[in-house]
Amino acid sequence: MIVPIKQIINKAKQKRYAVGAFNTSNLEITLAIVRAAVKMKSPVIIQTSESAIGYSNLETLFGLMTNVANTVGRSVPIAIHLDHGKDLATIKDCIKIGYNSVHIDASEKDFATNIRLSRQVADWGHKKKIWVQAELGSILGKEGMVKLETGEINMKDLLTDPYQAIDFVAKTKVDTLAISVGTIHGSFKGIERVDHTLLKKIAALVNIPLVLHGGSGLNAGTFKKSIKNGISVINIDTNLRLAFKNALQKSIKQSENLVDPRKILAPSTEAMQKEVEKMIHIFGSTNKA
Ligand code: G3H
Ligand code: ZN
C-alpha cells in the first residue's frame, strides 16, 4: 500500500535498519520487488530512473507501480521515488503525478548550482508534501570505473565533504541526502568500497537520512556496517538486472520451444524476487511492515 515515504524512512533511521530502494522499468521487476516485500513483511521503495520512464511513459509506469503496490502489496508500506532526476521538467511531472519522493541529482554541477537546483526542487516537493533527495559528491558508473582504473580520476576527489554537507543540507532544505563514500553504480564484486570513517563523520554531522547508491555487488558485511554507521536507504539496480538476465538465459536454453512470454519470463521474476528477499534480509527490514 502506498504511504508517504517519510513514514518508511524515519522508522528505518530510528530503528537502525535500512530500506531497500529497488529500480524498476516493467511489470516483472515491479512484481518481484512487491512480492518480496510482502513475503518478508518489509517496507520497500520502488524507484524509476528517467530512462525507465522513457522506456514506456510516466503515466504507464506510475500506474503500473501504484496498482501493483496497492493490490499485490496492500499489506506492506511502499513508496514511489524518482531516482537520479536530472531533468527539471521530468521531476516536475513526477511530483505532479503523485511520486512520494524525487531525487534531484545536480551533483555534476558546481556547489552553488547544486544548492540552487536542489533548493528549487525541495520547494516544489514540499508544496506537495513529498520528500526530496539531493546528491553531494559523485557516484560514478561503468565509464567512471575505467577512468578510476587508468588513474584519470581519483576517488578521493569524488567523495562527499562532511562540512560541505552540513552547509548543503541547511541551504537546500532537502529531506534525504545521497552521499559518495566510495561506491560505484554497477556490480564490481570483491572490493570493499565504503569508506566507513567518512560515512561515520557525515552521519555525525548531518541529521537527515543518508542514502547509499551503487549497492549492487557489495557484500553483506559492508551493508551491515554501512547501516550501523548511518545509512537508512540502500539503492539496488544492477543486482536485479543480473538476476533477470541469468534466469532468462537459462530459461530459454532449457526450453527452446516455449513461446509464451509469461512462461519464458517467470523464472526471471522469481530470481529477482529472491534477490530482493536476500537484500531485505541483509538490510534488516524483515517484519518491519
Ligand atoms: O540509483 C541507483 C542505484 O544507485 C543503483 O546502483 O546498480 O550499483 O545497484 P547499482
Ligand atoms: Zn544511484
Side-chain angles (χ1 to χ4, degrees):
M1 156 96 65
I2 300 285
V3 301
I5 202 165
K6 183 181 177 171
Q7 270 178 35
I8 294 178
I9 300 180
N10 279 348
K11 189 173 164 194
K13 187 167 157 61
Q14 268 162 24
K15 309 237 170 201
R16 292 178 158 271
Y17 59 87
V19 183
F22 299 95
N23 287 74
T24 189
S25 54
N26 70 8
L27 173 66
E28 285 72 23
I29 309 172
T30 309
L31 281 174
I33 297 167
V34 174
R35 284 175 182 163
V38 169
K39 186 163 171 211
M40 303 297 280
K41 298 188 173 57
S42 167
V44 77
I45 297 166
I46 309 175
Q47 60 187 11
T48 63
S49 63
E50 289 177 338
S51 61
I53 292 169
Y55 178 65
S56 54
N57 61 56
L58 182 60
E59 289 74 15
T60 306
L61 197 52
F62 182 73
L64 169 69
M65 290 186 291
T66 47
N67 279 320
V68 174
N70 287 330
T71 56
V72 180
R74 74 175 74 81
S75 61
V76 294
I78 299 174
I80 291 175
H81 172 74
L82 170 69
D83 186 33
H84 292 288
K86 295 190 177 180
D87 174 50
L88 290 180
T90 305
I91 293 174
K92 258 189 182 169
D93 288 343
C94 289
I95 295 174
K96 197 169 164 207
I97 206 167
Y99 273 55
N100 305 105
S101 169
V102 291
H103 173 193
I104 160 72
D105 179 2
S107 59
E108 285 162 6
K109 314 269 187 210
D110 61 79
F111 187 56
T113 311
N114 191 357
I115 290 180
R116 183 174 55 77
L117 293 171
S118 301
R119 174 65 195 257
Q120 164 94 83
V121 173
D123 288 346
W124 291 344
H126 295 161
K127 269 195 195 124
K128 283 269 280 186
K129 300 207 178 332
I130 68 156
W131 268 22
V132 173
Q133 179 180 136
E135 181 163 327
L136 187 63
S138 299
I139 304 153
L140 299 174
K142 236 185 256 155
E143 318 72 41
M145 182 69 179
V146 176
K147 287 187 186 163
L148 275 179
E149 278 167 352
T150 58
E152 210 178 309
I153 47 176
N154 191 329
M155 181 57 91
K156 278 202 173 90
D157 302 327
L158 311 171
L159 300 175
T160 304
D161 178 315
Y163 296 100
Q164 248 190 0
I166 307 177
D167 191 27
F168 184 80
V169 170
K171 288 183 173 145
T172 57
K173 307 223 180 304
V174 294
D175 306 283
T176 55
L177 185 66
I179 52 171
S180 174
V181 286
T183 53
I184 295 174
H185 290 119
S187 184
F188 308 99
K189 283 199 167 69
I191 310 160
E192 168 58 87
R193 298 218 156 268
V194 176
D195 180 338
H196 292 284
T197 311
L198 175 62
L199 170 57
K200 269 201 242 175
K201 196 162 189 185
I202 299 169
L205 295 170
V206 172
N207 58 12
I208 62 171
L210 301 176
V211 183
L212 185 71
H213 279 248
S216 293
L218 299 182
N219 61 45
T222 301
F223 282 129
K224 286 181 180 164
K225 204 167 167 187
S226 303
I227 296 164
K228 192 172 157 251
N229 289 336
I231 289 293
S232 301
V233 179
I234 300 175
N235 281 18
I236 301 285
D237 186 4
T238 310
N239 277 0
L240 301 194
R241 294 178 178 205
L242 290 172
F244 182 95
K245 188 185 166 197
N246 293 339
L248 183 60
Q249 277 175 331
K250 237 197 225 160
S251 154
I252 290 177
K253 220 179 182 178
Q254 276 168 1
S255 37
E256 276 173 9
N257 297 330
L258 278 184
V259 288
D260 182 341
R262 293 166 299 182
K263 289 190 179 143
I264 295 170
L265 290 172
S268 287
T269 309
E270 280 161 29
M272 290 186 291
Q273 180 182 336
K274 282 211 176 81
E275 185 61 35
V276 176
E277 286 170 16
K278 192 171 112 191
M279 296 291 112
I280 286 175
H281 176 68
I282 294 171
F283 299 167
S285 68
T286 312
N287 291 323
K288 301 291 194 301

